[in-house]
Amino acid sequence: MNAKRLAETILYFFFPIFLLLIIWEAISRLEMLNPALISRPTEIFTALWKLLLKTSLSGQPILITHIYFSLYRLFFSFIIAVAIGVGLGILMGRSNKIYWFFESLITVAMPIPGIAWAPIFMIWLGFGDPTIITVGALAAFFPIVYNTAAGVRSVKKEMIWAAQSMGADEKTIFFKVLLPSSAAFIFTGFKLGLARGWRTIIAVEMIAASLWGLGFMIFDARDYLQPSIIYGGIIVLAALYFFIESLIKLIEQKTIEKWGMVRPEVV
Amino acid sequence: MRKGRIKLKAINITKIFDEGKRKVAALENFNLEVRENEFTVIVGPTGCGKSTFLYLVAGFEEPTKGEILLDGKPLTKPGPDRGFVFQEPNLYPWRTVLGNIMFGLEIMGVPKEDAVKKAMYYVNMVGLKGFENAYPHTLSGGMKQRVGIARALAYNPEILLMDEPFGALDAQTRKVMQQELIKIWERAKKTVVFVTHSVIEAVYLADTIVVMTARPGRVKGIINVNLPRPRSYTDEKYLSIRKKVLSLLEEEVTKTLAIQRKL
Amino acid sequence: MVFPISKIVKVLRFLFPLLISLAIWELLATFHLLDPKLVPSPSRITLTMYSLTVPQPTLLVYLYRSIYRFTIGYGLGAILGIGVGILMGINKHFYRMASPILSLLISVPTIAWVPLFLITVGIGDETIILAIFLGCFFAIVYNTMNGIRSINKELIWASKIMGAKKTTIFSKVLLPGASVSIITGLRLAVGYSWRALVGAEMLASISGGIGYLVYAARAFNAVNIMFTGLVIIALGGLIIDNLVLGALEKKTIEKWGMIKKRV
């Protein structure tokens, strides 16, 4: 029964996508689309397959290396954003003065798209990883700090009092009451931060990367008029993020959902 | 004893829900006659299918077998010959009190002036004068349910169906609403089918009480309540009827618990 | 209109930390603790802003260009997005076919499409407008669809029993019922589109725009212009969000009590 359900779900998901690809292929085979502008699905997958097999001059597999660079930048951006964002967020949650001071700064800076910072950081840090990772971290930082502060501030006083009356010290209260009760908020911050960081890194790679990264790959393909690589890159981006999102969902199910703490969310 | 003509007739109703692997029979060979202008209350243990029956009458669901006749004509789809009051008031939050009550008239194409006049009559009847331009979110639970009742009456349906309308209210408000409902019913002269699991409520409101069996729901017994209104919750006759209904129900509640334990 | 004292205090409380930060920044620059080639002082940024507006209104022309592109891209995205979202919300078959494709496309960063448009459409307004359109389109589709699909079934039933036809249910129940979600989507999408605009103008503009200003300043290492651009970008996003969509929210779903008032 369960296996049947799963198969059905997968079928319902992939059938429309296959159908779309087949129609797209058919239309371009009938020469209704300009092949210099819109690639056929078969061309796109061939191009991707070639990128997967081909190696660069220095012997690295091309597609894998592009993916690797984007992911490792995302990883470091995210780690930095979490370290600073959660730290400051907790301080803001615990002290009204700190909250008041940083709230307006964050409100003003948060809506600035990550990519807008890129030219400035390029002047400060030059081309390559330092700029890409810093701008990625900056973009991911805001949702994390914002949600962490909101989470800590939402912890009910009674829950802290209950722990205090049982004789808990500050450290115990922090680790055993504050963190778990704001976990759902912090997790939301992580999700939003990861998504923002990812988009920003792809964008910044287009202007600040010199050799590797999916953003660079896509932007570079434009110069050589290779739409099939751009389409391929878009597919890889969608698939990668889909994978990351499923991973997050799994972690969410195993942790905060089990505690019954998931907030209703909007996209 | 009032002996009106038969308004609503359910003949051999069976309703089976298909829940994947399991098939659950909510109602089995359920038969019922409701007389015109009578207040009929259906009581039964949790999950006996009493709300399901109301949904079938409303046309929200279709019976697996059997037939429901209103004035001798079979019912299939939802339609304005019936009024429905839900457990949650389910008001439209973007419409004012008056806007909600007018909605049925608006759908029928009644000219706006007439519709307002008619709706205002019901605003007054349920005691919400002065609140006609308020939005639902500003009202208390009891007031919202008054709007729900007025909305169901305003387009003058043949029969009023009420699905535990006071279940979500606090005990005090519930009592006030029960008293008010009887007053409204006496003025509006409507046939009412009212579903509840509260025996206190049933004996206070009903002309006829229909006690249902545990799942699958069937009619266990019918009790006529010949007490003058307004009734008292502490009157001796009231209490003796309450006892009668309770003793009928008790067996069924025990059965329900046994079923639940097995699941 | 008179502003109450509490409102003024609130604004001051909000501005004070910003002013302190700017003052510290200015002091650091005055004492040569910041390299002016890397970090311009607030006073220099203000001066740049002045010189870019008053002698020749370059900044305003650029801003106008961006807003023009934004209006077309976002307007198209909102109209088509709500349209497609409604179709997905009311038609099961269309939903089944389109939702897997939507869930894939929604996770592609908008900026990734820009190089493709540069090849197919070419450098200039069309590419930027397309990027703005895609930036908001999927989020609006998703939220509109979700809003319609998650309407309480009983709200629809309540109108059906009053005799409402499909068109009435659609215009008087489904659309207003989905309004919270639709407006939320429109608001989120403003941010997405604004972000897409800045990114696309960096990669695809040859004639003005606020993103272009920031990017072009790189050629002269003009950090003061870059910071000026950042200020304008931040203000632009805030203004569109608060003035346009905030007002819409207040007139509709806030009045109906479907969302809490923003503090």
Side-chain angles (χ1 to χ4, degrees), chain B residues 79-80 90 92 106 135 137, chain C residues 152 154-155 159 161 172 176 255:
Chain B
N90 282 316
Y92 298 105
E106 209 178 295
Y135 282 97
H137 72 107
Chain C
N152 186 352
E154 292 181 350
L155 280 186
S159 69
I161 201 158
K172 303 212 161 160
K255 191 168 88 185

Side-chain angles (χ1 to χ4, degrees), chain C residues 190 232-246:
Chain C
V190 167
I232 303 291
I233 288 168
L235 287 179
L238 278 176
I239 287 170
I240 296 176
D241 181 56
N242 280 308
L243 289 192
V244 183
L245 290 160

Side-chain angles (χ1 to χ4, degrees), chain A residues 12-13 16 19 37 100-101 104-105 112-113 115 117 120 122-124 199 206-207 218 222 234 237-238 267, chain C residues 13-14 16-18 38 96-97 100 103 111-113 115 118 120 142 188 195 202-203 218 226 230 233-234:
Chain A
Y12 275 131
F13 185 81
L19 198 66
L37 302 181
W100 162 70
F101 187 81
S104 24
L105 294 181
I112 300 177
I115 181 87
W117 293 99
I120 293 174
M122 282 167 78
I123 290 189
W124 293 345
R199 274 192 310 258
M206 291 191 181
I207 59 174
I218 292 175
R222 174 199 75 118
I234 288 173
L237 283 176
V267 165
Chain C
R13 273 178 66 87
F14 182 80
F16 194 59
L18 295 175
L38 295 181
R96 279 214 173 136
M97 293 309 283
S103 68
I111 195 86
W113 297 100
L118 282 174
T120 50
Y142 183 87
L188 279 170
R195 195 167 61 204
M202 286 187 171
L203 300 177
R218 216 167 55 94
M226 291 178 185
L230 276 193
I233 288 168

Side-chain angles (χ1 to χ4, degrees), chain A residues 40-117:
Chain A
R40 292 175 190 163
T42 42
E43 274 173 3
I44 296 168
F45 286 108
T46 323
L48 271 182
W49 182 245
K50 273 188 193 153
L51 278 181
L52 195 66
L53 297 180
K54 235 181 14 193
T55 52
S56 70
L57 286 179
S58 44
Q60 291 140 313
I62 290 178
L63 185 60
I64 301 291
T65 313
H66 281 307
I67 293 174
Y68 166 77
F69 266 82
S70 291
L71 285 181
Y72 114 88
R73 284 163 184 156
L74 176 68
F75 178 75
F76 282 105
S77 291
F78 186 65
I79 294 290
I80 296 168
V82 166
I84 303 175
V86 172
L88 182 60
I90 287 170
L91 286 178
M92 283 172 71
R94 295 291 278 157
S95 148
N96 277 331
K97 275 184 198 143
I98 298 179
Y99 182 81
W100 162 70
F101 187 81
F102 282 99
E103 199 216 354
S104 24
L105 294 181
I106 291 173
T107 311
V108 172
M110 192 146 108
I112 300 177
I115 181 87
W117 293 99

Side-chain angles (χ1 to χ4, degrees), chain B residues 55 58 60-61 78-80 82-84 86 88 90-95 103-104 106-107 135 137 151 155 161, chain C residues 151-165 168 172-174 176-179 254-258:
Chain B
Y55 280 13
F60 301 151
E61 313 255 13
R82 285 145 286 165
F84 201 98
F86 296 89
E88 298 294 328
N90 282 316
L91 304 178
Y92 298 105
W94 53 89
R95 287 176 161 252
F103 196 26
E106 209 178 295
I107 290 168
Y135 282 97
H137 72 107
R151 180 174 71 180
Y155 54 94
L161 311 168
Chain C
I151 287 175
N152 186 352
K153 205 167 45 179
E154 292 181 350
L155 280 186
I156 298 170
W157 284 351
S159 69
K160 269 192 184 163
I161 201 158
M162 291 189 268
K165 288 197 207 74
T168 315
K172 303 212 161 160
V173 181
L174 292 184
S179 57
E254 200 173 296
K255 191 168 88 185
W256 305 333
M258 291 165 85

Side-chain angles (χ1 to χ4, degrees), chain C residues 123-136:
Chain C
I123 203 160
D125 274 6
E126 289 85 352
T127 285
I128 299 168
I129 290 170
L130 260 175
I132 298 166
F133 167 80
L134 279 185
C136 65

Side-chain angles (χ1 to χ4, degrees), chain B residues 99-127:
Chain B
N100 266 285
I101 297 173
M102 270 173 59
F103 196 26
L105 299 164
E106 209 178 295
I107 290 168
M108 285 178 170
V110 176
K112 195 167 178 210
E113 235 167 88
D114 286 359
V116 171
K117 219 184 279 168
K118 273 191 187 151
M120 276 310 289
Y121 173 76
Y122 286 96
V123 169
N124 288 332
M125 187 187 266
V126 298

Side-chain angles (χ1 to χ4, degrees), chain C residues 179-259:
Chain C
S179 57
V180 175
S181 191
I182 294 175
I183 292 175
T184 307
L186 287 173
R187 253 196 123 139
L188 279 170
V190 167
Y192 298 168
S193 273
W194 193 243
R195 195 167 61 204
L197 167 119
V198 174
E201 281 185 344
M202 286 187 171
L203 300 177
S205 177
I206 35 165
S207 59
I210 212 71
Y212 175 76
L213 176 80
V214 175
Y215 193 63
R218 216 167 55 94
F220 320 101
N221 276 354
V223 273
N224 54 331
I225 293 183
M226 291 178 185
F227 272 95
T228 302
L230 276 193
V231 173
I232 303 291
I233 288 168
L235 287 179
L238 278 176
I239 287 170
I240 296 176
D241 181 56
N242 280 308
L243 289 192
V244 183
L245 290 160
L248 178 65
E249 221 167 64
K250 224 172 242 157
K251 280 229 170 113
T252 56
I253 51 184
E254 200 173 296
K255 191 168 88 185
W256 305 333
M258 291 165 85
I259 53 162

